[in-house]
Amino acid sequence: MTSTAVLTQNSVDTIAWTPEGVVMIDQTRLPNETNFVTCRTYVDVANAIRTMIIRGAPAIGVAAAMGVALGALHSNNLEADMPLICETLAKTRPTAVNLFWAIDRMRGIYTASKHLDIAQIRARLVEEAQRVREEDIAINEAIGRNGADLVPDGKTVLTHCNAGALATAGFGTALGVIRAAVRMGKKIDVFADETRPFLQGARLTAWELQRDGIDTTLITDNMAGHFLKSGRIGCVVVGADRIAANGDVANKVGTYGVAVLAKENNVPFYVAAPISTLDLTLESGDQIPIEERDRKEVTHIRGVAVAPEGIKVANPAFDVTPNRYVTAIITERGVARAPYIDNLRLLSL
Ligand code: MRU
């Protein structure tokens, strides 16, 4: 994996397939440095997902698809190597279902191409990975169109974590809805939770919305209740990492608290996500695996200790918001409302 610093850059691609390899913006270095890393092997891609160089459910899915394609390009015995390539990528992070969805999709292409020669199989896998990326941008634009009407004009939208262009191949899911509402001419501004401990809100959402010229105010996570009670927040829009058949939503830790506070204050709570984030094999959110991350993310900020050495730490990266707090789920195929058990299945057909 190699890293390149770019000093000025107008439009940022989260991830791209290039002749040199898979190029990603390094999200661990934002907002201080705009750096791009080139992944030359599928192991590089797996490491990039694990270390959060790329993160956000749809972006992880695109990266995994490109990782499989990269693995195939360097293999002379696909039948022997494909299981290891897929397994290595699948083991990187457990919660975002888009990772497994993308690997399954690539495995399907491989199975359907087995009768071809190896050069043709590789070409098909590379094409498919690029298609996953292109489709993701189109899907996010459709999510934006479907959600923009729900955003009240003249009010503030609250969001948590980063469900923006950086969390996807482009445009974003929750931030896609905000961008589409702005494009419609709605006068809105955004409150972005900083999103401890990894600070996706402060480092990434604030960065990308500021670049877009969208009026954005950064708040710490514990300020959300104060502003939800104040009457200025018109709605909450967040993304999702996995949505169970009953509409329970796993998203960045802290989302559940925001959802409860939104309901308490009669503020609509919307989840924006592609159909590939639905996991209809799970009856409820209780079955969603929750990633536990390194204790140092909690005890340290940018390498500086903020807690006593040896303190016990819990660091679940996600929480599950029960469906009763979710006003609607905005997808590229339309908007689902309760009863989710019926309406998500209908959208997924
Ligand atoms: O740990 P992360 O940064 O991968 O978590 C990201 C989130 O929780 C996002 O809100 C979610 O993936 C939706 S992104 C469109």
Side-chain angles (χ1 to χ4, degrees):
M1 192 160 19
T2 52
S3 186
T4 335
V6 172
L7 294 178
T8 51
Q9 173 92 6
N10 292 324
S11 80
V12 170
D13 272 339
T14 308
I15 180 165
W17 181 272
T18 75
E20 288 74 44
V22 178
V23 177
M24 306 170 184
I25 187 165
D26 185 347
Q27 301 196 29
T28 64
R29 311 277 282 268
L30 289 171
N32 304 342
E33 292 167 46
T34 310
N35 248 62
F36 290 83
V37 300
T38 304
C39 298
R40 293 172 204 280
T41 67
Y42 78 90
V43 175
D44 284 349
V45 173
N47 287 335
I49 297 171
R50 189 177 302 105
T51 59
M52 311 272 273
I53 285 172
I54 190 155
R55 34 61 55 199
I60 291 171
V62 176
M66 291 189 176
V68 173
L70 215 44
L73 272 189
H74 297 128
S75 164
N76 289 320
N77 185 350
L78 285 176
E79 194 57 19
D81 294 341
M82 274 300 267
L84 178 64
I85 295 168
C86 293
E87 198 192 329
T88 305
L89 288 159
K91 278 190 177 150
T92 50
R93 295 191 72 192
T95 305
V97 76
N98 308 61
L99 172 72
F100 310 103
W101 168 86
I103 294 169
D104 283 349
R105 178 165 161 170
M106 296 299 282
R107 217 188 260 119
I109 295 295
Y110 171 61
T111 308
S113 316
K114 273 187 184 174
H115 61 285
L116 301 172
D117 67 45
I118 192 159
Q120 290 171 314
I121 302 175
R122 287 182 186 138
R124 285 213 175 170
L125 289 169
V126 171
E127 271 167 33
E128 190 69 8
Q130 288 174 290
R131 197 171 296 126
V132 170
R133 178 184 175 278
E134 280 149 29
E135 281 177 11
D136 186 59
I137 299 170
I139 285 169
N140 295 331
E141 282 171 355
I143 290 173
R145 282 193 297 277
N146 292 339
D149 280 340
L150 300 172
V151 175
D153 202 0
K155 294 280 226 176
T156 299
V157 180
L158 178 77
T159 191
H160 187 74
C161 192
N162 174 265
L166 290 165
T168 62
F171 202 61
T173 55
L175 299 195
V177 170
I178 291 168
R179 288 190 164 102
V182 170
R183 278 186 189 172
M184 274 173 83
K186 289 191 172 175
K187 299 267 172 293
I188 55 170
D189 70 318
V190 178
F191 270 34
D193 286 349
E194 68 170 345
T195 318
R196 274 278 286 152
F198 210 73
L199 301 176
Q200 288 93 331
R203 296 189 303 101
L204 308 177
T205 298
W207 182 79
E208 67 165 89
L209 290 180
Q210 192 179 56
R211 282 170 66 98
D212 263 15
I214 294 176
D215 181 353
T216 301
T217 303
L218 179 64
I219 59 170
T220 63
D221 299 329
N222 50 359
M223 295 173 188
H226 170 78
F227 287 110
L228 282 162
K229 189 148 126 314
S230 73
R232 72 174 286 172
I233 310 285
C235 69
V236 177
V237 190
V238 296
D241 289 87
R242 199 187 287 226
I243 301 174
N246 70 345
D248 290 353
V249 174
N251 190 49
K252 180 53 53 196
V253 70
T255 302
Y256 173 36
V258 174
V260 174
L261 287 162
K263 188 165 179 128
E264 165 70 14
N265 291 288
N266 294 314
V267 175
F269 179 88
Y270 298 117
V271 173
I275 294 290
S276 56
T277 301
L278 301 182
D279 185 351
L280 302 185
T281 67
L282 303 185
E283 273 172 37
S284 86
D286 297 341
Q287 295 160 288
I288 299 175
I290 301 294
E291 177 182 10
E292 182 73 23
R293 290 188 60 83
D294 194 321
R295 53 176 277 118
K296 235 179 150 186
E297 289 178 0
V298 178
T299 56
H300 287 64
I301 295 182
R302 300 250 133 166
V304 178
V306 292
E309 215 183 307
I311 191 75
K312 285 202 286 182
V313 167
N315 187 15
F318 302 95
D319 61 24
V320 174
T321 299
N323 57 24
R324 63 182 176 279
Y325 295 105
V326 179
T327 310
I329 298 175
I330 305 160
T331 77
E332 69 273 28
R333 297 199 190 148
V335 176
R337 291 179 189 266
Y340 293 108
I341 191 75
D342 300 325
N343 294 336
L344 288 178
R345 207 165 286 279
L346 282 176
L347 276 187
S348 75
L349 293 176

